[in-house]
Amino acid sequence: MKKLTNELTRPRRPRQIRTAAAPLPAAASPTSVALRRRTFMMGLLGGAAAAFAAGCSSEPANPPSVKPPTTPCVSIPEIGDGEDVITYVTRIKGQYDHEFYKAVIGAANEFKEGDDALGIAACDQTSRDNARKLLGNTTVSALADRPMLEDAVYTLIMQATDAAALDGVRAWKMSQLKSFLLEKTEDEIKAVMVGLPSDIIGMIVKLMSNDELIKVGQTVFNPLPGSKIGAKGYMGARIQPNSPTDDTTDIIWQVFNGFAFAVGDVVLGNNPVSSEVASVHAIEEALKDVLVTFKLEDVLPHCCLAHIDVQAEVEKQFPGSTALWFQSLGSTVDANATFDVTVEKMLNHAAERPGKYGLYFETGQGADATNGHGAGFDMVVHESRKYGFARALKKKVADAQKAAGNAEAPWVHLNDVAGFIGPEVFRTKDQLVRCCLEDIVMGKLHGLPIGLDICSTLHMSVDLDDLDWCIDQIMPANPAYLMGLPTKNDPMLSYLTTAFQDHVRIREKFGYKVDDKMWAFFQELGVIDAQGKPTQYFGNVKYVYAKYVKAKNPLDMRTVDEIMNAQETLDALDAVKKRGVFIAEGYGTNPWDLNPELDKYIRDLVADGKKSIYADLEPAFVATIPTAVKIWTGAKDRDDYILHPPTGEQIKEDAIPEIEKLRDAHAGQYDVQIMISEGLNAYSISDPGHVDKFLPALRAKLEEAGYKVAPEHVVCTAGRVRAGYHVGEVLFGKLADKQSTRAIVHIIGERPGSEHRAFSVYMTTPKVEVWAQAGKVDHDITSVLAGLADTTYAMNASMQKDPVESAKQVVTQLNDLRAKA
């Protein structure tokens, strides 16, 4: 999935994000980019990733096509007959103005909060219509010769664009290109699309209605080599078996669960909590074992979605353990730096993929701008550039295959995580649908099989039933695949996406097929019959587990039924559920209905998540925090905090004196300041067994390690992760000893919606000379211990979840950061 980054990213990141439940190996040390792996899926959250997304929302309504008048916008009240973008920009500005040029093109988008935040959304429908007319009147040549931004990513994109094919369409107006894409055959379109730069592809979709986007989606297909994945009439699934604690048993049981519903034909792709080599290797081996046992390793790849550097290191240390390699991509050099990615690095990794399985990419509209790399142009063109980057890397994989003497058949695909960041990018279900349709067409026009993570955060105005509506609107465009989980609620990433049952419903309603080879396997497995209808074992995860046991141990003389009903099987399944991992057993009235008991439970969790988002830290709880110093950010209210993430990143001017008084009282004698913010879930802080138990354990372990911990605890209302950096600047920036290191240890609530109500700990400990530079401290020198709760603390020697053990992990990571500083 899943999963990018506003401040960080969704809890996917290339840093070594440690889970509370996984013991820290003695030799392990988190990287300086520990925040980034939480980076894509979690990082797509406008201010911070799940953990970074500290904040709440009352989900205010907003018309999807009209921009609120309170922020800057692009007004185009009238245009001349036949006027194009270049002529208009020059006339209005007196000369060509590139920034205004980018704004006019941005105004051609359907309204989205993400463009609004950049000040490039149209002020009204008239301005939007006029922007589209201007764009339609502009030639491909005029636009191609004025790239939004020139950098190494753009250079690579153009190197992978067929210059001769581009020359053939340069004289076309964009309106002509639109008509061509809507009227011509797939072969005719493919002959032209190889010459379309990514900026042009990002612009052409602005001129299309949703129905027109669907028409193009129904015309162009780019199936993966030797498969039906991405072919017309097929719609596959990436099984996303995530575990809050990276428990490999949790992971493989979710794979069995998918197979029970005849779901899973694109990739078994786990989002890890920890990006440690040992942990990633264990997950890779567990997924590989399932495939080898069922003789599917040449049909279906596996992948642990850690940073690509980590996957490469796993393969180096344990040859043959990995299959498909994953990486989140940005649209510019600066955006990719958020993921610790460069063009050179990705080209080198692509050159290492000469075998059957190549590369898997994840992207998402809005991730670039929410991480501060909007560069003045809109989310759609940013997204298109990511696909151009992927297209170029696909060519590099083909070159690697050729050089190795193999067939040039690059297995390269991507999925778009639409809706992961939150309402500061898309607030409504209509915007989510529009995004997905745009991205399907842009991906296909880049020659890529594109899947979707049609998803929502709990602080968006989108619920479980709305997601069904979104799926139905999007499916006619025939994406290559969707995510697949036991329920719509991801137990680790705390967001809503597509469940196994959704795939069953889609197959029934739209007639889409599963890849032929996997469909044959599901028939052989026995969950569907020769006609593709559910058997008595359909939806029975214990049955698939029993078949796995029999396949793995041919000498096991027990019958399948005996294994299904064995106490060890029941105990194993029960243990998975107790760790907060959902398993869909059976179904409701229809094979595509979640069983009623589990459906109610998931809906209750979503309702709890919505309530958690609105919650504040109760004064009574704050009063229990020893020597609390209360501060606040500039967010006016929850709506402001969620829709405008920067408001939660800076301490408000009238609260700064509180920090200055603390600074003066300390006189430089302490090197660690503990800070607490409610984030997106105040309950994750105040629930019994959480901060009440963790805080004293943390302080004790820090002091045992020799740290001088300030006696006060800074408690911040509406604080995001960067608010901690601001506190550090004020608290430490003026100290005389510029070479000493000082730390902010920030406890902050994560996205709600799971059983855990988890919080995370962000650690930053640079030298004073770095704190002294306003804005210098950021996520690249911060480490995070993610997903802490009474249910996920690390195990002690007695195999009990213990906040003391998790506190030790914080100290270990802090020690490592300090050594590097």
Side-chain angles (χ1 to χ4, degrees), residues 401-633:
Q401 292 176 322
K402 181 179 180 180
N406 298 326
E408 295 179 60
W411 187 291
V412 175
H413 61 88
L414 61 86
N415 80 264
D416 162 38
V417 184
F420 190 87
I421 296 178
E424 63 268 36
V425 174
F426 308 115
R427 201 187 313 182
T428 69
K429 62 183 182 181
D430 303 273
Q431 292 179 18
L432 179 57
V433 167
R434 176 70 189 186
C435 166
C436 289
L437 293 176
E438 291 167 345
D439 294 351
I440 289 170
V441 171
M442 292 191 296
K444 290 189 175 191
L445 290 180
H446 277 94
L448 297 163
I450 179 169
L452 297 174
D453 194 341
I454 305 174
C455 60
S456 170
T457 64
L458 289 170
H459 57 315
M460 287 173 64
S461 300
V462 178
D463 60 24
L464 293 167
D465 297 320
D466 290 333
L467 279 182
D468 286 343
W469 179 86
C470 291
I471 291 170
D472 288 351
Q473 305 308 303
I474 295 163
M475 281 306 99
N478 205 163
Y481 62 97
L482 301 178
M483 302 301 102
L485 291 82
T487 75
K488 281 186 168 71
N489 193 341
D490 189 296
M492 188 272 276
L493 295 177
S494 296
Y495 79 123
L496 305 179
T497 182
T498 43
F500 299 143
Q501 287 78 10
D502 294 319
H503 285 266
V504 180
R505 184 177 69 85
I506 290 165
R507 295 195 300 243
E508 178 71 19
K509 182 170 183 175
F510 295 95
Y512 286 139
K513 301 177 183 178
V514 171
D515 183 61
D516 295 347
K517 295 175 183 177
M518 281 303 296
W519 196 246
F521 164 72
F522 293 137
Q523 290 175 317
E524 180 183 353
L525 184 65
V527 296
I528 53 173
D529 62 22
Q531 288 71 46
K533 300 299 182 182
T535 69
Q536 71 269 32
Y537 297 116
F538 188 79
N540 190 329
V541 66
K542 294 190 292 290
Y543 170 77
V544 178
Y545 169 74
K547 295 287 281 188
Y548 165 80
V549 171
K550 292 287 288 182
K552 194 169 182 63
N553 304 295
L555 298 180
D556 191 329
M557 302 308 294
R558 292 176 298 172
T559 66
V560 167
D561 283 347
E562 287 173 337
I563 297 172
M564 287 171 57
N565 296 310
Q567 192 61 47
E568 65 190 55
T569 301
L570 303 178
D571 289 345
L573 179 56
D574 186 56
V576 170
K577 294 177 181 178
K578 285 181 177 178
R579 285 190 289 270
V581 173
F582 313 118
I583 297 293
E585 295 187 86
Y587 48 86
T589 304
N590 302 299
W592 53 86
D593 294 332
L594 198 62
N595 78 64
E597 183 179 353
L598 182 57
D599 181 70
K600 180 181 184 304
Y601 183 61
I602 295 299
R603 290 178 182 275
D604 287 346
L605 283 180
V606 171
D608 178 73
K610 297 287 188 182
K611 180 179 70 171
S612 299
I613 286 165
Y614 307 146
D616 295 302
L617 285 178
E618 294 291 338
F621 173 77
V622 175
T624 67
I625 299 174
T627 55
V629 175
K630 301 175 188 177
I631 61 172
W632 48 94
T633 65

Side-chain angles (χ1 to χ4, degrees), residues 58-99:
S58 57
E59 302 183 272
N62 186 66
S65 61
V66 180
K67 190 207 132 356
T70 55
T71 54
C73 57
V74 182
S75 178
I76 309 176
E78 58 182 6
I79 61 175
D81 290 341
E83 197 167 29
D84 66 10
V85 171
I86 313 304
T87 305
Y88 177 79
V89 168
T90 303
R91 176 170 66 83
I92 296 299
K93 292 296 185 179
Q95 61 182 3
Y96 176 74
D97 183 295
H98 193 61
E99 292 305 309

Side-chain angles (χ1 to χ4, degrees), residues 20 156 175 179 323 337 436 463 511 724 768 810:
L156 181 66
S175 57
S179 297
C436 289
D463 60 24
V768 169
V810 171

Side-chain angles (χ1 to χ4, degrees), residues 331-332 368 373-375 377-386:
S331 57
T332 67
D368 315 274
H373 305 302
F377 62 98
D378 62 271
M379 299 191 301
V380 175
V381 176
H382 270 290
E383 186 72 3
S384 187
R385 283 190 168 209
K386 298 167 198 173

Side-chain angles (χ1 to χ4, degrees), residues 208-252:
M208 296 182 184
S209 68
N210 284 10
D211 286 343
E212 289 170 335
L213 292 169
I214 289 171
K215 174 68 166 58
V216 178
Q218 292 174 339
T219 303
V220 179
F221 296 90
N222 307 293
L224 287 172
S227 80
K228 293 294 187 179
I229 297 167
K232 187 176 181 65
Y234 286 78
M235 212 289 297
R238 165 198 158 189
I239 292 183
Q240 184 171 296
N242 294 341
S243 166
T245 58
D246 282 347
D247 189 294
T248 55
T249 303
D250 295 349
I251 292 167
I252 63 172

